[in-house]
Amino acid sequence: MARIRFENVEKKYANGFHAVKDLNLDIQDKEFLVLLGPSGCGKSTTLNMIAGLEEVSDGRLMFDDMLVNYTPPHKRDVAMVFQSYALYPHKTVYDNIAFGLQMRKAPRDEIDRRVRDAAQKLEIAHLLDRRPSQLSGGQRQRVALGRAMVREPSVFLMDEPLSNLDAALRISMRAEIKELHQAMQTTFVYVTHDQAEALTLADRIVVMRDGVVQQVGSPDDIYERPQNTFVASFLGNPPINYIDGTIEVTDSSTARFVRGDLALTLTEATARKLADCNGREVRLGIRAEDVDETAQGGEGSVIRGKVNSVLPVGSDQFLGFDFYGEELFFRVGKDLSHRLGDDVALSVDLNRLHVFDKDSGKTLIW
Amino acid sequence: MSDKTLTQPGGIDYRRRQRLARLAQTLVILAGAIVLTIYVLAPVTWLVSSSFQTEAEIVSVPPHWIPDEPTLQNFEAIFSATEEEEITYETRSGQDPASGGFIPSTAKNLLPAMWNSFLVATLVVILNLLVGVPAAYALAKIRFWGRDASVYFILITRVIPDIALVVPFFLVIKNLGMLDTIGSLVLTYLAVTVPFSVFILVQYFEGLPDELDKAARVDGCSRFQALVRVFLPLSLPSLVAVVLFTFLTSWNEFLLALMFTQTEASQTLPIVLAAFTSDFTISFSFINAAGVLAIVPPVIVAVIFERYIVSGLTAGAVKG
Amino acid sequence: MRRLFGYEERSAALFLAPVMAVLMGVAVFPILYSLYLSFFRIKLTRPNRTPFVWFDNYTDLFTNDLFWVSVARTVTFSVVSVSAIAVIALLVALLLNQDFRGRRILSTILLVPWAIPYVANALMWKWIYDSGYGALNGILYQMDFIDKYMIWLGDQEKTIFLIANAFVWKEVPLATILLLVSLKSIPSDLYQAARVDGASVWQRFVHVTLPAMKPGFMLVMIYETMMAIRHFDLFFILTEGGPGDASHVLSWHIYVETFRNLSFGSGAAMSYVLALVTFALSYTFIRTLGRKV
Ligand SMILES: Nc1ncnc2c1ncn2[C@@H]1O[C@H](COP(=O)(O)OP(=O)(O)OP(=O)(O)O)[C@@H](O)[C@H]1O
Ligand SMILES: [Mg+2]
């Protein structure tokens, strides 16, 4: 049981590097929170501060109502799974899993029960006498999970626990971690730079960039209603397309986005938000999958261009699309055949347009 | 025949050429290996050989490279030399006076000196481990304010020449009334061993993943427990290296022992050996036997623990 | 907000306290005490009169001919031995960097000189150089290079070189092992690239091996120089500074001045000069190692 609160937390490393800036975050009890962002954005730093492995430079870090800024890790009730697993090479699997309980002076039979229990659940019961060096990557991963699980900690921290596994294993482990969270009923904080992982696992996602939180929200929020171009670009594959243009407001409930020949009619809800934006330079975002080629929409929703490249990706194909010298990428059905140089017209899902301020990149509509 | 068919139009037989080059390389390596072996082993072999020669044989001109009649009497003399009796060889009376013929009265000190050397070295090893291991762990795994300064401080103490410490050491030890005690040697040897030990250990600990340390601490270890329960069991190779170096350095040390020891109460093996060499009445065969005795333990240690020594040297000494 | 002494600082302080205490006691204090002593005229023959003499010990030193002789001898000894070590160790390292049967045995054998005590090394060479029955005389005589036995160490011209030889023999193993590290750390694709470019064995050595080894080589040489200029044991046993002043090196000079003339003040002053020289020499050494840790 723990609610974790960051209040104006700063982290400056000894060399002066400012890794986390003014972090305010309220992690609910039993929540599955995912920290998402590109490499070097401060995810691990944030996680390490929760664990007590890095000192908080400024601000307050609270567990429930207790200030833990100065509490060393062994006095916090946290467990952690590392990217490299960090199993103790000189201990057997059993002792690896039991170590945390031994350090906390749990009774012997209690330890034994919990270790065997966890091993059972993780299907590594037959490996208990081995050393870590005699295990496969996936098995090591399970041992690392087991080591954290048996502790029944109030906070469960994971730093890219799956990134050393192959693709198939990664996906099945994802499901298991989700189950684990449901079974354990504790707070999970999970670091990844894999958007798919974040979207599947999280109750809430925190997107970070250069030590600054960009957006906090449910996977849906983050994907459907990105607060700025950084968040919008970070999620989605292929990445979201941007078109710079101007807003033309007709009246309080109708508006158009215009760029050269292209004119897209905005939905009423959007138009209302942009009522006082007439003539404003904006950046329009269209996700790759938010187009449709089969059902031609009416005028005001069509974008035209010349096919530049075609990339089949199994279920679909990506269409590279030349638009005023810029390359846009859309995901279309694979039964449509396109040749390079063809002119195509795609109709855009107008409900899913994103409008950002051109300079600041902040959203204008969500 | 097949050689001929492979000859290139230009007339150069590439295959033959390559074979020649490889042959030349093998020959160069072989020659190098032989020269190196002779360079390293010849002096030692000569010393050992002459320690098995009788007094009469050792003064032959030209020398006998291999003893005609090998004898253990030199070694027996060392091990049977006691306080009460001074042994002389009958065979030596009337020999060349320059080579003497007497077992020196200091011969009885050889075995106690070996014991002293052993005792000093062991104590120095223990103290090195006690102070070195926690320091190395802190320097390698704790990022604390003042870490770099500490590293530089220890490095600087490492380059202080031992001879620059002799004068102040002597006065301090004399004032403490510790002259001619084993304690004075143990203390001063710390100056020449500790910085090196710390560096071997730091290099090793740095090689162990940081995440192991983090995992241990999240699992509930204090810093001290993380060191004892996780890092110590993993650092055996570096501990062995430290033990070896410290032991050998102490066992071999001469300058400081020369200053601070006076009697068999504290004299170490190198001191007794050195005393022999300046005594013209002592026979060479006896000195050589003593020399062999001094060489054997460290060489055995070095040969057995070759791996640890090489890795320790490269970690702690210079690392290019 | 940040506390100066958090848990990390406290545990680090605790872990470092023993080592710091020891080093303060056996290294820093003596060196400072030595500086202090060097400002006094301390004769153990006159224990009750130890006047403060400012820099007299230093000025005396620099106007003392024997001191300058000892500096010259030390320089000769160091230059000769370190260059010999550099050449021999480089050759041996190149040899041991090859892959051939018996390489491991050879590297084990190489540890022998490193392991034996300096005193035993000195005794061994003293016996080899012996004028009456030594191996050097014996072998040269048998091979007809000399027609009568020579008093090698009694020869002013040769003494220092003979001592250097004994020093080199003992130091080559260490230097070799350290050079091997930097040889092994040269990535092999560098060689392959050079090979593709058509470089001969010699060209590869000059253009790939040597430049890549340079930093490691420098460190080893600095280290060996530090060892050479402070070396004492061989001089004590082989020649006691003689014949005449032919091997009267600085460390021997300090010893004589301190423990034979019992002038601790000037002994301290000289030790201090030596320490400072070593320190200046090792600057690069410390910087490089410090940055690496
Ligand atoms: N001990 C340190 N001293 C100085 N800077 C550090 C230290 N540790 C991390 N940093 C810097 O802080 C920034 C954030 O590091 P952090 O490890 O939190 O990134 P991350 O988001 O986990 O990235 P990744 O996905 O690559 O693991 C990086 O730019 C990193 O270089
Ligand atoms: Mg990270």
Side-chain angles (χ1 to χ4, degrees):
Chain A
M1 253 164 311
R3 170 177 173 208
I4 302 165
R5 263 180 307 146
F6 286 90
E7 294 175 4
N8 308 99
V9 165
E10 307 272 348
K11 175 66 195 180
K12 282 201 189 89
Y13 279 110
N15 63 3
F17 187 82
H18 203 160
V20 172
K21 294 162 198 159
D22 193 26
L23 177 63
N24 285 288
L25 191 60
D26 194 343
I27 307 173
Q28 300 302 320
D29 187 26
K30 303 195 176 75
E31 180 174 13
F32 198 125
L33 187 90
V34 172
L35 296 173
L36 180 67
S39 190
C41 71
K43 307 180 296 286
S44 299
T45 305
T46 307
L47 202 69
N48 285 338
M49 285 193 289
I50 300 177
L53 295 167
E54 290 289 353
E55 220 168 78
V56 172
S57 312
D58 204 352
R60 288 147 60 86
L61 176 61
M62 316 283 294
F63 279 17
D64 294 323
D65 290 319
M66 210 174 63
L67 182 77
V68 294
N69 281 24
Y70 308 116
T71 315
H74 61 283
K75 305 234 171 91
R76 302 183 187 194
D77 191 17
V78 299
M80 190 157 171
V81 178
F82 298 88
Q83 177 175 355
S84 64
Y85 316 142
L87 301 178
Y88 310 118
H90 59 298
K91 293 183 190 292
T92 60
V93 168
Y94 183 98
D95 287 331
N96 262 283
I97 300 178
F99 187 61
L101 293 172
Q102 286 164 357
M103 292 312 296
R104 290 188 159 72
K105 306 218 163 33
R108 242 169 200 291
D109 48 343
E110 168 80 3
I111 295 178
D112 192 64
R113 193 181 54 71
R114 285 213 232 167
V115 171
R116 294 193 186 281
D117 228 37
Q120 207 71 50
K121 273 192 207 133
L122 293 167
E123 294 162 23
I124 49 172
H126 58 296
L127 302 173
L128 285 176
D129 293 330
R130 297 221 195 147
R131 305 261 156 161
S133 58
Q134 301 163 319
L135 303 179
S136 72
Q139 290 167 335
R140 282 178 210 185
Q141 172 60 48
R142 283 158 190 277
V143 176
L145 276 178
R147 182 170 67 178
M149 252 167 77
V150 289
R151 292 259 319 278
E152 297 177 4
S154 51
V155 185
F156 206 107
L157 306 174
M158 303 194 181
D159 195 347
E160 311 200 18
L162 303 184
S163 56
N164 282 357
L165 301 179
D166 64 56
L169 201 51
R170 201 148 54 197
I171 289 172
S172 70
M173 284 303 291
R174 243 186 243 168
E176 289 191 36
I177 287 177
K178 189 135 197 174
E179 274 170 36
L180 185 67
H181 174 240
Q182 256 130 36
M184 285 186 54
Q185 292 290 314
T186 51
T187 314
F188 272 49
V189 184
Y190 186 106
V191 164
T192 182
H193 55 233
D194 179 336
Q195 42 164 314
E197 228 166 86
L199 294 171
T200 352
L201 290 172
D203 292 331
R204 277 196 306 160
I205 295 176
V206 177
V207 183
M208 295 181 72
R209 175 198 195 180
D210 294 340
V212 179
V213 170
Q214 302 294 308
Q215 186 173 354
V216 184
S218 67
D220 226 35
D221 274 341
I222 301 279
Y223 193 79
E224 303 289 348
R225 290 173 286 282
Q227 293 297 309
N228 58 35
T229 48
F230 175 80
V231 176
S233 315
F234 194 75
L235 291 104
N237 185 24
I240 193 165
N241 298 294
Y242 291 117
I243 304 170
D244 290 345
T246 37
I247 296 293
E248 286 177 4
V249 177
T250 325
D251 61 53
S252 69
S253 61
T254 44
R256 294 194 313 162
F257 170 85
V258 181
R259 165 76 183 270
D261 291 344
L262 174 72
L264 295 174
T265 313
L266 301 175
T267 60
E268 194 181 324
T270 309
R272 282 190 197 286
K273 295 236 173 63
L274 296 172
D276 52 358
C277 289
N278 194 14
R280 186 158 174 176
E281 298 272 315
V282 298
R283 179 162 289 177
L284 185 76
I286 310 173
R287 290 220 183 265
E289 66 274 19
D290 291 342
V291 295
D292 190 352
E293 205 182 15
T294 45
Q296 291 282 336
E299 202 49 37
S301 73
V302 176
I303 181 167
R304 288 171 216 284
K306 208 185 271 296
V307 174
N308 245 354
S309 58
V310 181
L311 301 169
V313 287
S315 59
D316 297 315
Q317 55 187 342
F318 293 161
L319 214 56
F321 187 109
D322 182 58
F323 180 81
Y324 288 103
E326 278 172 69
E327 182 93 343
L328 308 182
F329 274 98
F330 292 109
R331 182 192 281 259
V332 296
K334 69 171 169 185
D335 24 294
L336 294 166
S337 70
H338 288 287
R339 263 168 298 138
L340 298 188
D342 283 358
D343 280 320
V344 287
L346 300 170
S347 71
V348 178
D349 185 343
L350 295 172
N351 287 310
R352 292 172 174 271
L353 290 180
H354 305 271
V355 185
F356 303 100
D357 182 67
K358 199 172 154 199
D359 300 319
S360 69
K362 288 214 171 65
T363 186
L364 295 172
I365 55 174
W366 305 119
Chain B
M1 211 177 77
S2 63
D3 274 1
K4 224 168 228 160
T5 55
L6 273 165
T7 305
Q8 302 291 307
I12 306 169
D13 182 342
Y14 281 103
R15 185 189 266 196
R16 179 127 168 247
R17 223 184 190 192
Q18 207 175 4
R19 215 181 295 153
L20 274 178
R22 199 160 299 151
L23 187 70
Q25 194 191 2
T26 315
L27 283 179
V28 169
I29 288 178
L30 187 69
I34 291 174
V35 170
L36 180 61
T37 312
I38 292 177
Y39 176 68
V40 170
L41 287 188
V44 183
T45 317
W46 163 239
L47 184 75
V48 173
S49 156
S50 55
S51 74
F52 288 110
Q53 298 185 9
T54 61
E55 188 53 32
E57 188 171 9
I58 205 168
V59 294
S60 42
V61 175
H64 289 185
W65 302 112
I66 299 163
D68 280 344
E69 29 182 320
T71 170
L72 285 173
Q73 56 174 317
N74 299 306
F75 293 97
E76 281 164 12
I78 291 173
F79 286 106
S80 59
T82 57
E83 203 95 37
E84 299 84 48
E85 43 175 347
E86 286 187 5
I87 297 171
T88 55
Y89 296 151
E90 311 80 22
T91 48
R92 287 191 185 158
S93 46
Q95 289 292 340
D96 181 348
S99 66
F102 295 103
I103 299 290
S105 60
T106 44
K108 66 177 194 300
N109 291 347
L110 254 180
L111 291 182
M114 266 181 136
W115 171 244
N116 283 342
S117 284
F118 179 79
L119 204 61
V120 170
T122 310
L123 288 173
V124 174
V125 165
I126 293 172
L127 284 174
N128 260 275
L129 291 178
L130 284 181
V131 303
V133 168
Y137 172 73
L139 292 177
K141 291 297 173 216
I142 306 183
R143 269 184 277 107
F144 57 96
W145 182 85
R147 180 192 171 276
D148 288 355
S150 312
V151 168
Y152 279 105
F153 173 74
I154 295 175
L155 262 172
I156 287 168
T157 60
R158 218 187 110 186
V159 302
I160 297 176
D162 46 3
I163 194 151
L165 296 173
V166 161
V167 175
F169 267 160
F170 185 83
L171 290 179
V172 170
I173 294 218
K174 183 164 164 289
N175 290 337
L176 290 176
M178 281 176 70
L179 277 183
D180 201 26
T181 62
I182 283 185
S184 66
L185 294 184
V186 174
L187 270 185
T188 51
Y189 286 4
L190 289 180
V192 286
T193 51
V194 165
F196 192 70
S197 303
V198 172
F199 269 85
I200 296 178
L201 292 167
V202 167
Q203 295 271 2
Y204 192 83
F205 283 160
E206 288 208 324
L208 297 173
D210 281 352
E211 291 198 341
L212 217 50
D213 183 52
K214 294 183 176 178
R217 292 192 306 129
V218 171
D219 262 349
C221 292
S222 66
R223 279 292 185 187
F224 182 73
Q225 287 167 322
L227 169 59
V228 173
R229 312 258 330 228
V230 175
F231 279 83
L232 268 192
L234 291 175
S235 58
L236 192 68
S238 63
L239 295 183
V240 173
V242 167
V243 170
L244 291 174
F245 286 123
T246 316
F247 194 92
L248 287 180
T249 309
S250 312
W251 179 271
N252 296 352
E253 207 287 334
F254 176 65
L255 177 68
L256 296 167
L258 180 67
M259 308 299 166
F260 304 140
T261 66
Q262 287 149 1
T263 69
E264 65 263 42
S266 66
Q267 278 180 335
T268 53
L269 190 56
I271 300 302
V272 175
L273 268 190
F276 290 163
T277 64
S278 55
D279 184 343
F280 287 107
T281 63
I282 305 177
S283 103
F284 270 118
S285 55
F286 180 80
I287 297 179
N288 292 338
V292 169
L293 277 189
I295 286 178
V296 167
V299 167
I300 289 178
V301 168
V303 168
I304 293 179
F305 294 103
E306 190 245 358
R307 239 165 228 283
Y308 292 103
I309 288 178
V310 171
S311 64
L313 274 178
T314 49
V318 174
K319 200 145 196 184
Chain C
M1 195 69 191
R2 189 187 142 81
R3 290 196 304 198
L4 187 52
F5 294 108
Y7 179 73
E8 299 290 85
E9 267 75 19
R10 268 180 293 142
S11 30
L14 220 58
F15 286 0
L16 282 168
V19 106
M20 290 299 165
V22 165
L23 290 180
M24 282 289 170
V26 299
V28 177
F29 168 70
I31 270 292
L32 294 180
Y33 188 42
S34 179
L35 180 65
Y36 172 80
L37 289 174
S38 70
F39 296 128
F40 292 85
R41 182 139 288 150
I42 306 173
K43 284 286 242 179
L44 279 206
T45 45
R46 271 194 339 244
N48 298 323
R49 252 176 52 77
T50 55
F52 183 77
V53 294
W54 287 106
F55 293 96
D56 282 9
N57 283 323
Y58 291 94
T59 46
D60 287 357
L61 204 60
F62 294 124
T63 51
N64 179 343
D65 290 342
L66 198 52
F67 171 76
W68 290 112
V69 168
S70 77
V71 170
R73 298 285 181 263
T74 303
V75 169
T76 314
F77 176 74
S78 308
V79 169
V80 169
S81 17
V82 173
S83 358
I85 291 171
V87 174
I88 298 176
L90 184 60
L91 289 176
V92 178
L94 288 173
L95 175 69
L96 292 181
N97 198 35
Q98 305 295 319
D99 221 356
F100 60 93
R101 248 191 313 149
R103 190 178 60 92
R104 280 201 58 87
I105 299 174
L106 207 54
S107 19
T108 308
I109 289 176
L110 190 65
L111 274 183
V112 170
W114 174 82
I116 72 176
Y118 249 112
V119 170
N121 181 46
L123 170 159
M124 182 180 87
W125 288 99
K126 190 170 187 175
W127 171 229
I128 290 171
Y129 294 150
D130 186 68
S131 56
Y133 317 104
L136 183 62
N137 272 324
I139 206 160
L140 291 179
Y141 185 76
Q142 276 182 335
M143 292 164 77
D144 276 337
F145 282 119
I146 52 174
D147 46 16
K148 66 172 179 24
Y149 273 24
M150 312 274 282
I151 305 173
W152 294 105
L153 286 172
D155 186 335
Q156 299 234 3
E157 306 274 287
K158 300 198 184 79
T159 308
I160 203 119
F161 296 99
L162 293 170
I163 300 176
N165 175 54
F167 182 76
V168 170
W169 183 80
K170 182 145 163 53
E171 292 293 324
V172 157
L174 178 64
T176 305
I177 290 170
L178 300 177
L179 286 185
L180 261 176
V181 180
S182 54
L183 259 182
K184 289 233 162 72
S185 65
I186 304 174
S188 60
D189 42 357
L190 226 56
Y191 285 104
Q192 264 140 28
R195 211 172 184 148
V196 171
D197 289 343
S200 69
V201 176
W202 175 248
Q203 283 169 327
R204 268 178 273 157
F205 177 71
V206 170
H207 294 292
V208 179
T209 315
L210 280 188
M213 281 185 77
K214 200 177 149 208
F217 194 80
M218 287 300 297
L219 278 192
V220 177
M221 289 310 119
I222 292 172
Y223 183 79
E224 289 299 344
T225 311
M226 276 161 33
M227 292 297 122
I229 62 175
R230 70 173 65 164
H231 191 71
F232 173 79
D233 304 6
L234 286 170
F235 296 98
F236 180 88
I237 290 171
L238 287 180
T239 58
E240 300 214 326
D245 56 19
S247 61
H248 194 96
V249 288
L250 192 52
S251 58
W252 178 253
H253 190 60
I254 295 175
Y255 174 74
V256 170
E257 188 67 12
T258 317
F259 290 91
R260 302 234 165 130
N261 302 341
L262 298 178
S263 310
F264 276 61
S266 60
M270 266 182 282
S271 312
Y272 219 74
V273 171
L274 181 63
L276 286 181
V277 170
T278 313
F279 193 74
L281 256 177
S282 56
Y283 178 75
T284 338
F285 182 79
I286 293 176
R287 282 299 301 271
T288 319
L289 284 192
R291 235 177 298 124
K292 221 164 268 164
V293 170

